[in-house]
Amino acid sequence: MKKIIGYCLLLCCILTACPRPQPDIFKPTPYPFSIPPMFPTVVNIPEDNPLTIEGVRLGRYLFYDSRLRGYTGNNPDSMMCCATCHVQSNAFVCGMNNPKFPGGIPRGINGQPTHHNMLPLCNLAFNTNGYDWNGAIYPQNPHPHLRNIEDIVLISILAENELFSSPERCINTLKNISIYPPMFKAAFGSEDITAERIAKAIAQFVRTLLSFNSRFDQYMRGETMLSEDELAGWVLFTTEEGADCFHCHGSNGNLLMTTNMFYNNGLDSTFSDPMDRYAVTGNEYDKGSYRAPSLRNIALTAPYMHDGRFATLDEVIDFYSEGLQASPYVHPLMHQINNGGVMLTPKEKRQLKAFLLTLTDYQFIQDTAYGKPADLP
Ligand code: HEC
Ligand code: HEC
């Protein structure tokens, strides 16, 4: 009996003395996302993918790693990642000056052009209306894989005219690059690499790309003055009897420089693009409609329009001035459609352009936090 009590005491001692194994506590660091002055206060960040320092860091690496599509050799024609097309110095479009993509229309790994012209990546966390030119990717979409930037990542990986790869191929490749398993652990709690985690991390990085330091922003914050021509251009931009741009591309209250809504702005009189807004809504009056892009950094993002038909801002301004095409689908906010445009004088065109050039944010395109990590090949 004494022996048994002895054993019991011993066992108790052992049990209390040995610390119980602690579960690994996973606590990533919240990313300090702050809303710039005079921006909307509603953000589109899904609840199941909050921004974390570790997630954003991983996303930045994946965005810039051309081994992402699952090829680790050194034939540049077989390598591709988001940054192949989304180039920071061009506000994240490929740009007319891109040696790989002459004319600024990108091509996927299979050499085929993308269906539409590029869209820049900035301030996307403030778009709650729908991504892509036709808004096919939106939060309330009944289709669970067409709702947000996470889904765009996976579509880009699969698309024949983009990365043309598969999640399995990406995962197998990343597993064997030594920096990644620990980075997935830091961001998501374990070293498992999954398609969902790849999509989440890249989407987190994309949401951190904020542009709010153009000269126009500085002027609006009272930090700098604009020239006489630039100010005259702004007045033209924001008045109906002037150039009448503000209804769709934002005004003083909206420094996004877009409403993120969809309009037919009178580019054509007949419509055949199977991927316009009509393709998403089935509403006939959406034929030839597209999202009005933000005019931030517009000087950097040529060519212009969903099909890249205009190479310069002068061509765009000439179009709005006297080149509009009538059709039953033109949006009612194109007030001067019956006159062919807003009829600007050469001086007014120059002033409007001077204003558009104040929207370039040089800090955004040089911010090293948005650039390629120095230790990536
Ligand atoms: C081959 C060039 C190419 C590659 C590679 C590419 N994109 Fe894009 N991206 C485009 C084009 C073109 C569009 C416009 C598509 C449309 O609306 O039809 C676009 C649109 C987007 C949009 C929507 C922007 C908006 O305002 O609605 C996001 C977000 C995006 N891309 C992120 C990514 C990410 C993340 C990657 C990497 C996984 C990537 N892209 C890879 C060409 C590319
Ligand atoms: C009724 C709404 C509306 C009005 C008014 C309007 N736009 Fe647009 N804008 C759009 C839409 C929609 C697009 C995209 C059309 C497309 O690609 O088919 C666009 C495209 C553009 C683009 C090309 C953007 C890019 O990234 O390719 C520029 C530049 C532009 N508009 C400037 C202006 C200027 C300057 C004015 C005033 C003279 C103006 N817009 C008036 C709706 C409008």
Side-chain angles (χ1 to χ4, degrees), residues 55 57-73 79-82 153-154 157 163 165-185 187-188 190-202 376-377:
R57 177 165 188 267
L58 171 61
R60 176 176 162 220
Y61 271 76
L62 296 172
F63 187 94
Y64 279 102
D65 196 331
S66 33
R67 298 168 294 189
L68 178 66
R69 73 174 294 266
Y71 181 83
T72 51
M79 317 284 282
M80 188 175 259
C81 59
C82 313
V153 172
L154 295 177
I157 287 174
L163 268 63
S165 182
S166 70
E168 296 70 34
R169 216 173 117 172
C170 299
I171 293 165
N172 284 331
T173 307
L174 297 177
K175 264 186 194 158
N176 292 310
I177 301 176
S178 62
I179 53 170
Y180 284 119
M183 285 172 81
F184 276 85
K185 183 165 187 200
F188 298 111
S190 76
E191 295 200 343
D192 297 335
I193 299 182
T194 65
E196 190 190 348
R197 288 177 171 187
I198 294 171
K200 281 185 166 177
I202 297 181
L376 272 185

Short mmCIF file of all heavy atoms in Angstrom, two decimals, residues 55 57-73 79-82 153-154 157 163 165-185 187-188 190-202 376-377:
data_model
loop_
_atom_site.label_atom_id
_atom_site.label_comp_id
_atom_site.label_asym_id
_atom_site.label_seq_id
_atom_site.Cartn_x
_atom_site.Cartn_y
_atom_site.Cartn_z
N GLY A 55 1.75 38.90 -43.82
CA GLY A 55 1.02 38.55 -45.04
C GLY A 55 1.39 39.46 -46.19
O GLY A 55 1.61 39.01 -47.32
N ARG A 57 4.13 41.15 -46.52
CA ARG A 57 5.52 40.90 -46.92
C ARG A 57 5.60 39.70 -47.86
O ARG A 57 6.21 39.75 -48.93
CB ARG A 57 6.35 40.64 -45.66
CG ARG A 57 7.80 40.28 -45.95
CD ARG A 57 8.66 40.40 -44.68
NE ARG A 57 10.06 40.24 -45.04
CZ ARG A 57 10.70 39.08 -45.01
NH1 ARG A 57 10.06 37.99 -44.63
NH2 ARG A 57 11.96 39.01 -45.37
N LEU A 58 4.92 38.61 -47.48
CA LEU A 58 4.90 37.42 -48.33
C LEU A 58 4.28 37.77 -49.69
O LEU A 58 4.79 37.38 -50.75
CB LEU A 58 4.09 36.32 -47.64
CG LEU A 58 3.78 35.08 -48.48
CD1 LEU A 58 5.06 34.38 -48.95
CD2 LEU A 58 2.90 34.10 -47.70
N GLY A 59 3.19 38.53 -49.66
CA GLY A 59 2.51 38.90 -50.90
C GLY A 59 3.42 39.69 -51.82
O GLY A 59 3.41 39.49 -53.04
N ARG A 60 4.20 40.57 -51.23
CA ARG A 60 5.12 41.38 -52.06
C ARG A 60 6.16 40.47 -52.73
O ARG A 60 6.45 40.63 -53.92
CB ARG A 60 5.81 42.41 -51.15
CG ARG A 60 6.84 43.24 -51.86
CD ARG A 60 7.40 44.31 -50.93
NE ARG A 60 8.66 44.83 -51.44
CZ ARG A 60 9.71 45.11 -50.68
NH1 ARG A 60 9.66 44.96 -49.37
NH2 ARG A 60 10.80 45.57 -51.24
N TYR A 61 6.69 39.51 -51.99
CA TYR A 61 7.66 38.58 -52.59
C TYR A 61 7.02 37.81 -53.75
O TYR A 61 7.58 37.69 -54.83
CB TYR A 61 8.20 37.61 -51.54
CG TYR A 61 9.42 38.15 -50.82
CD1 TYR A 61 9.30 39.12 -49.84
CD2 TYR A 61 10.70 37.70 -51.14
CE1 TYR A 61 10.41 39.63 -49.19
CE2 TYR A 61 11.83 38.20 -50.50
CZ TYR A 61 11.67 39.16 -49.52
OH TYR A 61 12.78 39.67 -48.89
N LEU A 62 5.82 37.30 -53.51
CA LEU A 62 5.17 36.49 -54.55
C LEU A 62 4.82 37.33 -55.78
O LEU A 62 4.92 36.88 -56.92
CB LEU A 62 3.91 35.82 -53.99
CG LEU A 62 4.14 34.82 -52.85
CD1 LEU A 62 2.81 34.37 -52.26
CD2 LEU A 62 4.95 33.61 -53.35
N PHE A 63 4.40 38.58 -55.53
CA PHE A 63 4.04 39.49 -56.63
C PHE A 63 5.24 39.69 -57.56
O PHE A 63 5.08 39.81 -58.78
CB PHE A 63 3.61 40.84 -56.01
CG PHE A 63 3.06 41.85 -56.99
CD1 PHE A 63 1.70 41.95 -57.22
CD2 PHE A 63 3.90 42.75 -57.67
CE1 PHE A 63 1.18 42.90 -58.11
CE2 PHE A 63 3.40 43.69 -58.55
CZ PHE A 63 2.03 43.77 -58.78
N TYR A 64 6.44 39.73 -56.96
CA TYR A 64 7.65 40.03 -57.73
C TYR A 64 8.47 38.81 -58.12
O TYR A 64 9.51 38.95 -58.74
CB TYR A 64 8.53 41.00 -56.93
CG TYR A 64 8.08 42.43 -57.05
CD1 TYR A 64 7.35 43.05 -56.04
CD2 TYR A 64 8.37 43.17 -58.20
CE1 TYR A 64 6.93 44.36 -56.16
CE2 TYR A 64 7.95 44.49 -58.33
CZ TYR A 64 7.23 45.07 -57.31
OH TYR A 64 6.81 46.37 -57.44
N ASP A 65 8.05 37.62 -57.74
CA ASP A 65 8.89 36.44 -57.98
C ASP A 65 8.47 35.76 -59.28
O ASP A 65 7.41 35.11 -59.33
CB ASP A 65 8.78 35.47 -56.80
CG ASP A 65 9.91 34.45 -56.83
OD1 ASP A 65 10.40 34.13 -57.94
OD2 ASP A 65 10.30 33.97 -55.74
N SER A 66 9.29 35.87 -60.32
CA SER A 66 8.85 35.33 -61.61
C SER A 66 8.94 33.81 -61.66
O SER A 66 8.58 33.20 -62.66
CB SER A 66 9.57 35.98 -62.79
OG SER A 66 10.86 36.32 -62.45
N ARG A 67 9.36 33.19 -60.54
CA ARG A 67 9.25 31.72 -60.46
C ARG A 67 7.84 31.30 -60.07
O ARG A 67 7.51 30.12 -60.03
CB ARG A 67 10.25 31.19 -59.43
CG ARG A 67 11.70 31.48 -59.81
CD ARG A 67 12.66 31.22 -58.67
NE ARG A 67 12.45 32.13 -57.54
CZ ARG A 67 13.26 32.24 -56.50
NH1 ARG A 67 14.35 31.48 -56.42
NH2 ARG A 67 13.00 33.07 -55.52
N LEU A 68 6.97 32.31 -59.77
CA LEU A 68 5.61 32.02 -59.28
C LEU A 68 4.86 31.05 -60.19
O LEU A 68 4.13 30.19 -59.74
CB LEU A 68 4.82 33.32 -59.14
CG LEU A 68 3.35 33.18 -58.70
CD1 LEU A 68 3.26 32.65 -57.27
CD2 LEU A 68 2.60 34.50 -58.80
N ARG A 69 5.05 31.18 -61.51
CA ARG A 69 4.25 30.33 -62.38
C ARG A 69 4.75 28.89 -62.41
O ARG A 69 4.16 28.03 -63.06
CB ARG A 69 4.15 30.90 -63.80
CG ARG A 69 5.38 30.81 -64.64
CD ARG A 69 5.05 31.28 -66.06
NE ARG A 69 4.11 30.39 -66.72
CZ ARG A 69 4.46 29.38 -67.52
NH1 ARG A 69 5.71 29.11 -67.76
NH2 ARG A 69 3.53 28.63 -68.08
N GLY A 70 5.84 28.64 -61.70
CA GLY A 70 6.26 27.25 -61.57
C GLY A 70 7.38 26.89 -62.52
O GLY A 70 7.46 25.77 -63.00
N TYR A 71 8.24 27.83 -62.81
CA TYR A 71 9.40 27.53 -63.64
C TYR A 71 10.60 28.16 -62.97
O TYR A 71 10.57 29.33 -62.63
CB TYR A 71 9.20 28.10 -65.05
CG TYR A 71 10.35 27.80 -65.98
CD1 TYR A 71 10.43 26.57 -66.64
CD2 TYR A 71 11.36 28.73 -66.17
CE1 TYR A 71 11.49 26.29 -67.47
CE2 TYR A 71 12.42 28.45 -67.02
CZ TYR A 71 12.49 27.23 -67.66
OH TYR A 71 13.54 26.96 -68.48
N THR A 72 11.64 27.38 -62.74
CA THR A 72 12.77 27.91 -61.98
C THR A 72 14.05 27.96 -62.80
O THR A 72 15.12 28.20 -62.30
CB THR A 72 13.04 27.07 -60.71
OG1 THR A 72 13.12 25.71 -61.13
CG2 THR A 72 11.94 27.23 -59.70
N GLY A 73 13.93 27.71 -64.09
CA GLY A 73 15.11 27.79 -64.94
C GLY A 73 15.50 29.23 -65.17
O GLY A 73 15.09 30.11 -64.43
N MET A 79 9.30 32.65 -67.57
CA MET A 79 9.11 33.19 -66.23
C MET A 79 8.04 34.28 -66.31
O MET A 79 8.01 35.06 -67.25
CB MET A 79 10.39 33.84 -65.70
CG MET A 79 11.67 33.08 -65.96
SD MET A 79 11.89 31.68 -64.89
CE MET A 79 12.43 32.45 -63.38
N MET A 80 7.18 34.32 -65.31
CA MET A 80 6.21 35.42 -65.28
C MET A 80 5.61 35.54 -63.90
O MET A 80 5.45 34.55 -63.18
CB MET A 80 5.10 35.20 -66.31
CG MET A 80 4.18 36.40 -66.44
SD MET A 80 2.95 36.23 -67.74
CE MET A 80 3.67 37.20 -69.04
N CYS A 81 5.34 36.77 -63.51
CA CYS A 81 4.63 37.02 -62.25
C CYS A 81 3.79 38.26 -62.46
O CYS A 81 3.73 38.81 -63.56
CB CYS A 81 5.63 37.22 -61.11
SG CYS A 81 6.75 38.58 -61.41
N CYS A 82 3.15 38.71 -61.40
CA CYS A 82 2.29 39.89 -61.53
C CYS A 82 3.09 41.09 -62.04
O CYS A 82 2.62 41.84 -62.89
CB CYS A 82 1.69 40.24 -60.17
SG CYS A 82 1.00 38.84 -59.28
N VAL A 153 -6.13 36.94 -58.39
CA VAL A 153 -4.81 36.29 -58.34
C VAL A 153 -4.89 34.90 -58.96
O VAL A 153 -4.09 34.54 -59.83
CB VAL A 153 -4.31 36.18 -56.89
CG1 VAL A 153 -3.04 35.33 -56.82
CG2 VAL A 153 -4.08 37.55 -56.28
N LEU A 154 -5.88 34.13 -58.55
CA LEU A 154 -5.97 32.74 -59.04
C LEU A 154 -6.33 32.72 -60.53
O LEU A 154 -5.83 31.89 -61.29
CB LEU A 154 -6.96 31.94 -58.21
CG LEU A 154 -6.50 31.77 -56.75
CD1 LEU A 154 -7.56 31.02 -55.94
CD2 LEU A 154 -5.16 31.03 -56.67
N ILE A 157 -3.19 33.37 -62.46
CA ILE A 157 -2.31 32.21 -62.48
C ILE A 157 -2.77 31.21 -63.53
O ILE A 157 -1.96 30.62 -64.26
CB ILE A 157 -2.23 31.58 -61.07
CG1 ILE A 157 -1.40 32.49 -60.15
CG2 ILE A 157 -1.63 30.17 -61.12
CD1 ILE A 157 -1.35 32.05 -58.69
N LEU A 163 -0.41 34.03 -66.65
CA LEU A 163 0.66 33.11 -66.21
C LEU A 163 0.53 31.70 -66.80
O LEU A 163 1.51 30.97 -66.86
CB LEU A 163 0.69 33.02 -64.68
CG LEU A 163 1.62 34.01 -63.98
CD1 LEU A 163 1.20 35.46 -64.23
CD2 LEU A 163 1.67 33.75 -62.48
N SER A 165 -0.59 28.80 -65.76
CA SER A 165 0.00 27.78 -64.90
C SER A 165 -1.12 27.10 -64.14
O SER A 165 -2.28 27.16 -64.54
CB SER A 165 1.00 28.45 -63.95
OG SER A 165 1.62 27.48 -63.15
N SER A 166 -0.79 26.41 -63.04
CA SER A 166 -1.81 25.80 -62.21
C SER A 166 -1.39 25.97 -60.76
O SER A 166 -0.20 26.09 -60.48
CB SER A 166 -1.95 24.31 -62.53
OG SER A 166 -0.79 23.65 -62.07
N PRO A 167 -2.37 25.98 -59.84
CA PRO A 167 -2.01 26.12 -58.44
C PRO A 167 -1.01 25.04 -58.01
O PRO A 167 -0.04 25.35 -57.31
CB PRO A 167 -3.35 25.95 -57.71
CG PRO A 167 -4.38 26.32 -58.71
CD PRO A 167 -3.82 25.94 -60.04
N GLU A 168 -1.21 23.79 -58.47
CA GLU A 168 -0.31 22.70 -58.06
C GLU A 168 1.12 23.02 -58.45
O GLU A 168 2.06 22.83 -57.68
CB GLU A 168 -0.71 21.37 -58.72
CG GLU A 168 -2.08 20.84 -58.32
CD GLU A 168 -3.25 21.66 -58.87
OE1 GLU A 168 -3.12 22.19 -60.01
OE2 GLU A 168 -4.26 21.82 -58.16
N ARG A 169 1.26 23.52 -59.67
CA ARG A 169 2.59 23.83 -60.16
C ARG A 169 3.23 24.95 -59.34
O ARG A 169 4.41 24.87 -58.97
CB ARG A 169 2.48 24.25 -61.63
CG ARG A 169 3.63 23.77 -62.45
CD ARG A 169 3.37 24.07 -63.89
NE ARG A 169 4.38 25.00 -64.35
CZ ARG A 169 4.52 25.35 -65.63
NH1 ARG A 169 3.71 24.86 -66.55
NH2 ARG A 169 5.47 26.18 -65.96
N CYS A 170 2.47 25.99 -59.04
CA CYS A 170 3.01 27.08 -58.21
C CYS A 170 3.40 26.56 -56.84
O CYS A 170 4.49 26.85 -56.34
CB CYS A 170 1.96 28.17 -57.98
SG CYS A 170 1.36 28.94 -59.44
N ILE A 171 2.51 25.76 -56.23
CA ILE A 171 2.76 25.28 -54.87
C ILE A 171 4.02 24.42 -54.83
O ILE A 171 4.90 24.62 -53.99
CB ILE A 171 1.54 24.47 -54.36
CG1 ILE A 171 0.35 25.40 -54.19
CG2 ILE A 171 1.85 23.74 -53.06
CD1 ILE A 171 -0.99 24.69 -54.05
N ASN A 172 4.13 23.48 -55.79
CA ASN A 172 5.30 22.60 -55.80
C ASN A 172 6.59 23.38 -55.97
O ASN A 172 7.63 23.03 -55.41
CB ASN A 172 5.17 21.55 -56.89
CG ASN A 172 4.19 20.48 -56.47
OD1 ASN A 172 4.04 20.22 -55.27
ND2 ASN A 172 3.50 19.89 -57.44
N THR A 173 6.53 24.44 -56.74
CA THR A 173 7.74 25.25 -56.95
C THR A 173 8.09 26.03 -55.68
O THR A 173 9.23 26.01 -55.23
CB THR A 173 7.51 26.22 -58.12
OG1 THR A 173 7.08 25.47 -59.24
CG2 THR A 173 8.79 26.97 -58.46
N LEU A 174 7.09 26.69 -55.10
CA LEU A 174 7.37 27.53 -53.93
C LEU A 174 7.88 26.71 -52.74
O LEU A 174 8.75 27.14 -52.00
CB LEU A 174 6.13 28.33 -53.53
CG LEU A 174 5.61 29.32 -54.58
CD1 LEU A 174 4.32 29.99 -54.11
CD2 LEU A 174 6.66 30.37 -54.92
N LYS A 175 7.32 25.47 -52.60
CA LYS A 175 7.75 24.58 -51.52
C LYS A 175 9.27 24.38 -51.51
O LYS A 175 9.89 24.19 -50.47
CB LYS A 175 7.14 23.19 -51.74
CG LYS A 175 5.88 22.93 -50.99
CD LYS A 175 5.51 21.47 -51.21
CE LYS A 175 4.09 21.19 -50.78
NZ LYS A 175 3.55 20.00 -51.44
N ASN A 176 9.83 24.37 -52.73
CA ASN A 176 11.26 24.06 -52.86
C ASN A 176 12.14 25.31 -52.92
O ASN A 176 13.32 25.22 -53.22
CB ASN A 176 11.48 23.20 -54.09
CG ASN A 176 10.87 21.83 -53.88
OD1 ASN A 176 11.12 21.19 -52.86
ND2 ASN A 176 10.03 21.40 -54.80
N ILE A 177 11.56 26.48 -52.66
CA ILE A 177 12.38 27.69 -52.56
C ILE A 177 12.45 28.02 -51.07
O ILE A 177 11.42 28.30 -50.44
CB ILE A 177 11.75 28.85 -53.37
CG1 ILE A 177 11.63 28.45 -54.85
CG2 ILE A 177 12.58 30.12 -53.22
CD1 ILE A 177 10.92 29.47 -55.74
N SER A 178 13.68 27.95 -50.51
CA SER A 178 13.80 27.86 -49.05
C SER A 178 13.19 29.04 -48.30
O SER A 178 12.76 28.89 -47.16
CB SER A 178 15.26 27.70 -48.66
OG SER A 178 15.97 28.85 -49.09
N ILE A 179 13.14 30.23 -48.92
CA ILE A 179 12.59 31.36 -48.15
C ILE A 179 11.09 31.23 -47.88
O ILE A 179 10.58 31.82 -46.93
CB ILE A 179 12.82 32.73 -48.86
CG1 ILE A 179 12.30 32.72 -50.29
CG2 ILE A 179 14.29 33.12 -48.82
CD1 ILE A 179 12.29 34.10 -50.97
N TYR A 180 10.38 30.46 -48.71
CA TYR A 180 8.91 30.55 -48.63
C TYR A 180 8.25 29.81 -47.47
O TYR A 180 7.38 30.40 -46.80
CB TYR A 180 8.27 30.20 -49.97
CG TYR A 180 8.41 31.35 -50.95
CD1 TYR A 180 9.11 31.22 -52.15
CD2 TYR A 180 7.88 32.60 -50.64
CE1 TYR A 180 9.26 32.30 -53.02
CE2 TYR A 180 8.03 33.69 -51.52
CZ TYR A 180 8.72 33.52 -52.70
OH TYR A 180 8.87 34.59 -53.55
N PRO A 181 8.60 28.52 -47.19
CA PRO A 181 7.85 27.88 -46.09
C PRO A 181 7.86 28.68 -44.78
O PRO A 181 6.78 28.88 -44.20
CB PRO A 181 8.53 26.50 -45.97
CG PRO A 181 9.00 26.24 -47.39
CD PRO A 181 9.46 27.58 -47.90
N PRO A 182 9.01 29.24 -44.36
CA PRO A 182 8.96 30.07 -43.13
C PRO A 182 8.10 31.32 -43.29
O PRO A 182 7.44 31.75 -42.33
CB PRO A 182 10.42 30.47 -42.89
CG PRO A 182 11.24 29.59 -43.74
CD PRO A 182 10.39 29.09 -44.86
N MET A 183 8.08 31.89 -44.48
CA MET A 183 7.25 33.09 -44.67
C MET A 183 5.76 32.75 -44.62
O MET A 183 4.96 33.53 -44.12
CB MET A 183 7.60 33.78 -46.00
CG MET A 183 8.91 34.54 -45.94
SD MET A 183 9.44 35.15 -47.56
CE MET A 183 8.48 36.61 -47.70
N PHE A 184 5.40 31.57 -45.14
CA PHE A 184 3.99 31.15 -45.03
C PHE A 184 3.64 30.90 -43.57
O PHE A 184 2.54 31.22 -43.12
CB PHE A 184 3.71 29.90 -45.89
CG PHE A 184 3.41 30.23 -47.32
CD1 PHE A 184 4.45 30.41 -48.24
CD2 PHE A 184 2.11 30.39 -47.77
CE1 PHE A 184 4.19 30.74 -49.56
CE2 PHE A 184 1.84 30.71 -49.09
CZ PHE A 184 2.88 30.89 -49.99
N LYS A 185 4.60 30.35 -42.82
CA LYS A 185 4.35 30.10 -41.40
C LYS A 185 4.13 31.43 -40.67
O LYS A 185 3.18 31.57 -39.88
CB LYS A 185 5.52 29.34 -40.77
CG LYS A 185 5.25 29.01 -39.33
CD LYS A 185 6.19 27.96 -38.80
CE LYS A 185 5.73 27.58 -37.39
NZ LYS A 185 6.77 26.96 -36.61
N ALA A 187 3.06 34.18 -41.87
CA ALA A 187 1.84 34.87 -42.31
C ALA A 187 0.57 34.11 -41.92
O ALA A 187 -0.46 34.73 -41.62
CB ALA A 187 1.87 35.07 -43.83
N PHE A 188 0.64 32.78 -41.95
CA PHE A 188 -0.61 32.00 -41.79
C PHE A 188 -0.56 30.92 -40.71
O PHE A 188 -1.50 30.16 -40.57
CB PHE A 188 -0.99 31.37 -43.13
CG PHE A 188 -1.27 32.40 -44.22
CD1 PHE A 188 -0.41 32.54 -45.29
CD2 PHE A 188 -2.38 33.22 -44.13
CE1 PHE A 188 -0.66 33.50 -46.28
CE2 PHE A 188 -2.65 34.17 -45.11
CZ PHE A 188 -1.78 34.31 -46.18
N SER A 190 1.34 28.14 -40.35
CA SER A 190 2.02 26.87 -40.61
C SER A 190 2.72 26.97 -41.96
O SER A 190 2.42 27.87 -42.75
CB SER A 190 1.03 25.70 -40.63
OG SER A 190 0.32 25.71 -41.85
N GLU A 191 3.63 26.04 -42.20
CA GLU A 191 4.40 26.12 -43.45
C GLU A 191 3.62 25.63 -44.67
O GLU A 191 4.15 25.67 -45.78
CB GLU A 191 5.72 25.33 -43.29
CG GLU A 191 6.64 25.96 -42.25
CD GLU A 191 8.10 25.55 -42.40
OE1 GLU A 191 8.36 24.52 -43.08
OE2 GLU A 191 8.97 26.23 -41.84
N ASP A 192 2.39 25.20 -44.47
CA ASP A 192 1.62 24.70 -45.62
C ASP A 192 1.46 25.79 -46.67
O ASP A 192 1.07 26.91 -46.37
CB ASP A 192 0.21 24.27 -45.18
CG ASP A 192 0.27 23.13 -44.20
OD1 ASP A 192 1.29 22.39 -44.23
OD2 ASP A 192 -0.66 23.00 -43.38
N ILE A 193 1.76 25.42 -47.91
CA ILE A 193 1.57 26.35 -49.02
C ILE A 193 0.33 25.90 -49.79
O ILE A 193 0.28 24.77 -50.28
CB ILE A 193 2.81 26.38 -49.92
CG1 ILE A 193 4.02 26.85 -49.10
CG2 ILE A 193 2.57 27.30 -51.12
CD1 ILE A 193 5.30 26.97 -49.87
N THR A 194 -0.70 26.77 -49.82
CA THR A 194 -1.92 26.41 -50.54
C THR A 194 -2.26 27.55 -51.50
O THR A 194 -1.77 28.67 -51.36
CB THR A 194 -3.11 26.25 -49.57
OG1 THR A 194 -3.37 27.53 -48.97
CG2 THR A 194 -2.83 25.23 -48.49
N ALA A 195 -3.12 27.21 -52.47
CA ALA A 195 -3.54 28.22 -53.44
C ALA A 195 -4.23 29.37 -52.71
O ALA A 195 -4.03 30.54 -53.02
CB ALA A 195 -4.49 27.59 -54.45
N GLU A 196 -5.05 29.02 -51.71
CA GLU A 196 -5.78 30.06 -50.98
C GLU A 196 -4.81 31.02 -50.28
O GLU A 196 -5.01 32.24 -50.30
CB GLU A 196 -6.69 29.39 -49.95
CG GLU A 196 -7.66 30.35 -49.32
CD GLU A 196 -8.40 29.74 -48.13
OE1 GLU A 196 -8.32 28.50 -47.93
OE2 GLU A 196 -9.03 30.52 -47.40
N ARG A 197 -3.75 30.48 -49.70
CA ARG A 197 -2.80 31.34 -49.00
C ARG A 197 -2.01 32.23 -49.98
O ARG A 197 -1.71 33.38 -49.68
CB ARG A 197 -1.85 30.50 -48.15
CG ARG A 197 -2.55 29.93 -46.93
CD ARG A 197 -1.63 29.03 -46.12
NE ARG A 197 -2.25 28.66 -44.85
CZ ARG A 197 -1.62 27.99 -43.90
NH1 ARG A 197 -0.35 27.62 -44.07
NH2 ARG A 197 -2.24 27.69 -42.78
N ILE A 198 -1.65 31.65 -51.13
CA ILE A 198 -0.95 32.45 -52.15
C ILE A 198 -1.84 33.63 -52.54
O ILE A 198 -1.42 34.79 -52.58
CB ILE A 198 -0.62 31.59 -53.39
CG1 ILE A 198 0.40 30.50 -53.03
CG2 ILE A 198 -0.12 32.47 -54.54
CD1 ILE A 198 0.62 29.47 -54.15
N ALA A 199 -3.12 33.32 -52.80
CA ALA A 199 -4.06 34.37 -53.23
C ALA A 199 -4.24 35.42 -52.14
O ALA A 199 -4.24 36.62 -52.40
CB ALA A 199 -5.40 33.74 -53.59
N LYS A 200 -4.37 34.95 -50.90
CA LYS A 200 -4.59 35.89 -49.80
C LYS A 200 -3.40 36.83 -49.62
O LYS A 200 -3.55 38.04 -49.42
CB LYS A 200 -4.84 35.14 -48.49
CG LYS A 200 -6.25 34.60 -48.37
CD LYS A 200 -6.48 33.98 -47.01
CE LYS A 200 -7.98 33.76 -46.78
NZ LYS A 200 -8.25 33.11 -45.49
N ALA A 201 -2.19 36.27 -49.66
CA ALA A 201 -1.00 37.09 -49.42
C ALA A 201 -0.85 38.14 -50.52
O ALA A 201 -0.64 39.32 -50.24
CB ALA A 201 0.24 36.20 -49.33
N ILE A 202 -0.99 37.72 -51.79
CA ILE A 202 -0.81 38.69 -52.88
C ILE A 202 -1.89 39.76 -52.80
O ILE A 202 -1.63 40.95 -52.98
CB ILE A 202 -0.78 37.99 -54.26
CG1 ILE A 202 0.42 37.03 -54.35
CG2 ILE A 202 -0.70 39.03 -55.38
CD1 ILE A 202 0.56 36.31 -55.68
N LEU A 376 15.40 39.10 -54.07
CA LEU A 376 14.81 38.17 -55.05
C LEU A 376 15.69 38.14 -56.30
O LEU A 376 16.23 39.15 -56.69
CB LEU A 376 13.40 38.65 -55.45
CG LEU A 376 12.22 38.18 -54.62
CD1 LEU A 376 10.93 38.67 -55.25
CD2 LEU A 376 12.19 36.66 -54.45
N PRO A 377 15.79 36.96 -56.94
CA PRO A 377 16.59 36.90 -58.16
C PRO A 377 15.94 37.71 -59.28
O PRO A 377 14.74 37.91 -59.28
CB PRO A 377 16.60 35.42 -58.51
CG PRO A 377 15.45 34.81 -57.80
CD PRO A 377 15.21 35.66 -56.58
#
